[in-house]
Amino acid sequence: MAALDTALKDAMSIEGAIGVALVDYSSGMTLGIAGGSPELDLGMAAAGNTDVVRAKMRTLEMLKIEDSIEDILITLDTQYHLIRPLGSRAGKGLFIYLALNKSRANLGLARHQLRLIESSIEI
């Protein structure tokens, strides 16, 4: 789990990061959380976003689209929420959920850094 803790810490070092979680989208359970705020309950947000991931996976399946999801972006008035399903065999069924402060974050750079962090996660 040391690699997971390091990955979560690295995600929190992304400019504008509010919180990050590694989530199992089959159960909605979190494997790790870092950050958060009184306004953002990461456990609840992570569990709720499992529905988003499952719905998108089902839609791709119904449309017979063979592509995998790189990430899902939810844009709020003051925040970006990035959802990145893990592509590795060991990470199958998991996603990284990252909440960013919109006024402080560079979305393109955050996506790039999250991709690098994903490659370092060991389960």
Side-chain angles (χ1 to χ4, degrees):
M1 282 301 206
L4 174 57
D5 291 338
T6 301
L8 293 173
K9 182 180 172 193
D10 289 346
M12 284 303 297
S13 73
I14 295 172
E15 185 69 31
I18 299 168
V20 63
L22 182 65
V23 186
D24 178 331
Y25 64 78
S26 62
S27 68
M29 302 258 320
T30 57
L31 295 153
I33 292 178
S37 71
E39 301 83 35
L40 181 62
D41 179 332
L42 280 170
M44 186 180 301
N49 279 300
T50 61
D51 292 334
V52 173
V53 174
R54 284 188 223 146
K56 192 59 191 173
M57 295 287 194
R58 264 192 320 273
T59 302
L60 290 175
E61 190 177 313
M62 289 186 307
L63 294 171
K64 296 180 176 46
I65 295 175
E66 299 292 324
D67 290 347
S68 58
I69 298 170
E70 184 173 336
D71 59 39
I72 298 167
L73 171 64
I74 300 169
T75 305
L76 306 176
D77 291 337
T78 61
Q79 298 175 3
Y80 293 124
H81 291 212
L82 271 172
I83 300 168
R84 184 171 179 86
L86 300 188
S88 69
R89 209 183 257 189
K92 189 106 172 112
L94 305 176
F95 68 90
I96 302 171
Y97 169 69
L98 175 66
L100 299 161
N101 179 309
K102 193 173 175 181
S103 66
R104 293 185 38 230
N106 176 324
L107 185 57
L109 187 55
R111 290 180 71 220
H112 174 71
Q113 290 172 305
L114 201 56
R115 189 175 318 123
L116 294 174
I117 291 165
E118 174 196 357
S119 66
S120 73
I121 294 177
E122 296 174 11
I123 307 299

